[in-house]
Amino acid sequence: MRRPGLLHRLKPWAALGPEALVQRGAAAHERGAYMDAFEAWRRAEQAGSAGAAYRIGLLYVHGQGVVRSIPDAVAWYEKAAEAGHVEAQHQLGRILLDGAIAGLGGNSPEGWRQAVETKAGNQVSIANVIFPRGLSVEKQPERGFGWVAKAASAGKPEAQALLADLYRQGRGCAQDLAAAREWYEKAAAQNLAAGEFGLGDVFYQGLGVPKDPQLAVDWYRKAAARGHVRAQVALAFLHLNGSGVAQDRAEAARLFNEAAQHEDVTALYNIALMHLAGDGLPRSVDKAETALRKAGRRGHLPSILALGEFYSKGLAIEPDLREAAYWYNQAAERGDVQAQFFTGRFHATGQGVAPSVREAARWFLRAAENGHPTAAYNVAVFYLKGTGIAQDIGAAIKWFEFAANAGIPAAQVQLGQLYSTGHGVDRDHSLAEQWLEKAARGGDPESRLAYALFLLQSDKSTEAIARATDLLAQAAEAGHAAASFQLGNLHAGRFGGTPDWPQAAKCYARAAEAGLPDAMLALGHLHLDPATGLADAKAAAAWFEKAARAGQPLAQFQLGVMYCTGNGVEMNLEKGVFWYEAAAKQGHLLGQFNLAVMLSKGQGCTRDPEKAFEWFESAAEHGMAAAQLSVGDALYSGTGVAQDLETARAWYEKAAGQGNEVARQRLAAIASSQNDNIADG
């Protein structure tokens, strides 16, 4: 049995009037006996007390002794408001202006509803009985405006300032700047900082009156002196910019600091900027970082973006890409398109986060959907290759077109190449040329190279070759090594026409000096070929070696040949083996075959039949007839591998199938030997 509370040990209810009941409820509320307070105020409201109805509304707002419920609070506020309770009118108006959505949690209507429905199954009517007024309050701006206006007319300054805001914004009413100013003035006349701040805005922005920065400063200063944070920030900006008041960065910093004491994010952000620049505040990277992090943790997007840049670029500190990735991700989640792009790039490169092409694709797609052209190009590449996302040529085309229309040359080139080759789309030579020409017109060297190659491969007319030559020359002059290389190929007659070897050598040299291994290789061949008139074996060997050291497998093989033959260099079989092996490891078939020969004979290296067989076999498996013959010989004789006549014959057959005469002779000899064995038997 419930033990009687203090309330029940006091004077009987019936003997108390409304005011006494309100006071008894207040005393119960003070000591935390919320249910007793509720009962006292309920009886007081029934006796006609508007204040009691308002207090019950507060109980529902705070969930004290009852399940927190804004709809129930509204019902009680409305009773009080209709009875003329000014604060209830004000609070009711505020709720109706924005509406209210039920929250989650153990003491919330939504939490109780979910618990009830979980236990009651489909008997949702139980929840409806418990929450007859529903779980949320619909936004009703016009009704909200009406109640705020009543409270304002009754002289409540906070309602007057709010009513002014509503007239200023045209919210719940027609916009009326004159009425807004009138109500701000009434609130300010009662020394309300919000009214003074509003008047500062009126005169600074010229809301229905001529702009008057000096008068704005006066009103902002009054509000700021009363601790109005937004007024402090506004006044700080005016001092910072010298608008309506003499420029005073120190005073701006002081005001920003006052506002920052209340965790105002705009103030914190500007304090950080001032500390970073040493402007108005001592330069301090640590204090700037602290201020930005405070504002960033409160969701201030400019601060979050500044932190991303701060850590990625290492502004006065060492870069910290993990922190940069974290803050850019925070901004990305809040919808900042550039941050979404950066987050995709972090995941694509594995900088600051674990590499993930799937996450990269997801963020590039989000940024693309928000209009970021480079992200659109990146996600198009991902769709094209099926990287981190299911391959979809149609989607790739869509995003390439978006990026191309936004002026991304690489996307225009991709479209041109796709339509040129018919990869995933109907082949369209005309459309391909349109995109490639558009890209080239933008002046991008890579685009000019792509269009030039398209012309050279699809149109051998004199006009097309001249146009391609001009495009390649322009790109080469811009320092594009690949364009210089292709211009060299053009002059070397690779695309038809009469070769101009000196001009080809000049173009190749420019590309080679820019570090292009293929150009070094081309120069080596140019100097090795007597037909060019530029034959110089030493020069050829020098260029081959540069290309070989840059990892060019053809140059590595050719250099191996030159060391083994002493052409252009002093003969050195060991170096020959070294370069053959370098080429062989990159899959060069002749390099693999020649290395195997050297290993089988012990020339320039220790003889190693087993290793020789491995390299012969590698070249043979890739279709080299001479290697297939050598594998057959090794298996037939058991050199470097266990003897296996059947497998040897199979390799001979493969080589013979490619026209290798020696392999045919081996097969004939095997057949003859078998016939002799049959006759002898």
Side-chain angles (χ1 to χ4, degrees):
M1 183 173 179
R2 184 176 181 269
R3 183 179 179 183
L6 178 62
L7 188 65
H8 296 281
R9 297 197 300 270
L10 298 174
K11 193 173 182 180
W13 298 113
L16 297 176
E19 286 304 316
L21 285 168
V22 169
Q23 291 174 10
R24 180 173 289 189
H29 186 274
E30 181 70 22
R31 63 177 184 272
Y34 301 126
M35 294 183 69
D36 289 345
F38 178 89
E39 180 62 20
W41 288 335
R42 184 184 66 80
R43 289 173 179 270
E45 187 276 329
Q46 289 175 342
S49 172
Y54 170 69
R55 288 170 182 257
I56 292 173
L58 288 176
L59 291 178
Y60 277 105
V61 167
H62 299 295
Q64 294 175 333
V66 293
V67 176
R68 185 177 185 273
S69 171
I70 301 301
D72 282 302
V74 164
W76 286 102
Y77 281 159
E78 197 156 9
K79 285 185 178 185
E82 287 172 348
H85 193 281
V86 175
E87 184 59 35
Q89 293 169 344
H90 180 220
Q91 294 301 330
L92 178 60
R94 291 175 67 90
I95 292 173
L96 293 175
L97 283 169
D98 296 314
I101 300 173
L104 290 172
N107 195 30
S108 70
E110 182 61 18
W112 280 71
R113 182 192 66 78
Q114 290 184 3
V116 167
E117 291 189 6
T118 298
K119 293 180 179 179
N122 293 326
Q123 299 174 21
V124 181
S125 58
I126 295 177
N128 294 335
V129 169
I130 296 175
F131 307 110
R133 295 187 177 93
L135 302 174
S136 59
V137 177
E138 182 183 354
K139 183 187 290 189
Q140 301 174 62
E142 290 78 11
R143 286 192 66 212
F145 171 85
W147 284 115
V148 171
K150 284 182 179 293
S153 297
K156 185 170 179 60
E158 292 83 1
Q160 293 170 340
L162 176 56
L163 185 62
D165 287 340
L166 298 178
Y167 273 122
R168 173 178 166 181
Q169 299 160 9
R171 189 172 167 212
C173 61
Q175 187 181 48
D176 187 337
L177 296 180
R181 185 178 73 257
E182 177 185 344
W183 284 107
Y184 279 139
E185 287 171 346
K186 289 182 178 182
Q190 296 194 64
N191 299 320
L192 185 74
E196 295 165 340
F197 171 72
L199 286 172
D201 277 354
V202 165
F203 289 107
Y204 183 72
Q205 298 178 32
L207 302 177
V209 298
K211 288 185 179 181
D212 189 336
Q214 290 181 336
L215 193 52
V217 166
D218 290 341
W219 283 113
Y220 283 144
R221 186 173 284 134
K222 288 180 181 181
R226 298 184 196 280
H228 193 284
V229 175
R230 289 175 61 197
Q232 292 167 345
V233 171
L235 192 57
F237 277 119
L238 296 181
H239 279 290
L240 195 64
N241 301 321
S243 179
V245 67
Q247 189 177 58
D248 187 340
R249 297 187 179 278
E251 178 63 8
R254 185 190 70 77
L255 287 162
F256 279 137
N257 269 317
E258 278 193 23
Q261 299 305 311
H262 301 278
E263 302 294 308
D264 182 85
V265 291
T266 303
L268 287 165
Y269 175 68
N270 281 279
I271 284 171
L273 297 184
M274 295 177 83
H275 273 306
L276 280 175
D279 184 9
L281 287 170
R283 190 171 189 279
S284 172
V285 174
D286 289 343
K287 289 182 178 179
E289 181 182 10
T290 298
L292 286 175
R293 291 180 74 92
K294 280 185 179 179
R297 283 194 295 269
R298 296 177 70 85
H300 186 244
L301 187 56
S303 295
I304 293 170
L305 290 168
L307 283 165
E309 184 178 10
F310 182 85
Y311 290 116
S312 64
K313 294 183 178 179
L315 300 177
I317 60 168
E318 285 296 315
D320 186 338
L321 295 182
R322 183 172 297 182
E323 280 286 325
Y326 169 79
W327 288 107
Y328 275 129
N329 185 75
Q330 294 296 304
E333 293 286 5
R334 286 167 172 78
D336 185 85
V337 63
Q338 187 66 19
Q340 290 170 346
F341 171 72
F342 286 153
T343 300
R345 193 169 63 184
F346 278 123
H347 283 289
T349 61
Q351 292 184 317
V353 294
S356 171
V357 291
R358 180 170 296 182
E359 280 297 292
R362 183 171 75 88
W363 282 110
F364 283 144
L365 181 58
R366 283 186 64 176
E369 289 170 342
N370 286 320
H372 196 288
T374 306
Y377 170 77
N378 287 353
V379 82
V381 173
F382 279 35
Y383 271 122
L384 184 65
K385 297 180 179 179
T387 303
I389 198 167
Q391 188 178 45
D392 186 336
I393 303 300
I397 294 290
K398 167 192 166 182
W399 288 114
F400 277 138
E401 286 181 345
F402 179 90
N405 287 321
I408 303 295
Q412 296 165 348
V413 169
Q414 281 281 4
L415 283 172
Q417 292 173 341
L418 287 172
Y419 283 115
S420 174
T421 60
H423 180 62
V425 292
D426 292 336
R427 198 162 183 264
D428 190 327
H429 183 277
S430 176
L431 195 53
E433 183 164 10
Q434 286 177 31
W435 280 116
L436 290 169
E437 186 178 18
K438 184 175 184 178
R441 280 201 307 270
D444 175 60
E446 186 71 29
S447 303
R448 286 174 168 167
L449 169 62
Y451 185 33
L453 291 176
F454 171 81
L455 291 171
L456 291 171
Q457 292 163 1
S458 60
D459 188 349
K460 302 297 183 182
S461 68
T462 303
E463 182 182 351
I465 292 175
R467 177 68 177 132
T469 302
D470 184 53
L471 287 165
L472 290 173
Q474 290 175 20
E477 284 299 321
H480 197 280
S484 296
F485 173 66
Q486 293 296 348
L487 191 58
N489 284 338
L490 181 62
H491 288 301
R494 300 285 173 84
F495 299 103
T498 304
D500 182 341
W501 299 116
Q503 192 63 30
K506 180 180 177 182
C507 294
Y508 285 148
R510 177 188 288 178
E513 287 163 1
L516 195 67
D518 286 350
M520 301 169 190
L521 174 70
L523 272 174
H525 282 302
L526 209 65
H527 288 300
L528 198 61
D529 186 358
T532 64
L534 301 172
D536 183 338
K538 287 186 178 180
W543 282 113
F544 283 138
E545 184 151 4
K546 285 185 178 181
R549 293 191 182 282
Q552 223 292 343
L554 297 175
Q556 291 168 342
F557 169 74
Q558 191 61 54
L559 191 59
V561 171
M562 296 182 82
Y563 272 116
C564 286
T565 60
N567 183 19
V569 293
E570 185 177 345
M571 182 183 288
N572 187 321
L573 297 182
E574 287 78 8
K575 287 186 177 182
V577 168
F578 174 84
W579 287 114
Y580 282 151
E581 186 172 12
K585 287 178 177 178
Q586 293 201 69
H588 192 280
L589 297 187
L590 277 173
Q592 292 174 349
F593 181 78
N594 284 12
L595 176 62
V597 170
M598 302 295 276
L599 287 166
S600 67
K601 296 180 178 180
Q603 293 180 332
C605 59
T606 302
R607 185 172 180 273
D608 190 337
E610 290 79 9
K611 199 70 174 175
F613 177 79
E614 290 177 9
W615 285 114
F616 277 136
E617 188 175 40
S618 178
E621 287 172 346
H622 287 86
M624 185 178 184
Q628 292 168 345
L629 173 66
S630 296
V631 169
D633 287 344
L635 288 164
Y636 191 82
S637 63
T639 304
V641 66
Q643 188 178 47
D644 186 338
L645 300 182
E646 285 302 314
T647 306
R649 180 162 56 187
W651 280 109
Y652 286 146
E653 287 172 349
K654 287 183 179 181
Q658 294 195 66
N660 187 285
E661 188 59 35
V662 177
R664 289 173 181 167
Q665 292 172 8
R666 296 279 198 275
L667 287 170
I670 291 172
S672 175
S673 173
Q674 288 176 340
N675 289 335
D676 288 345
N677 289 338
I678 292 170
D680 291 341

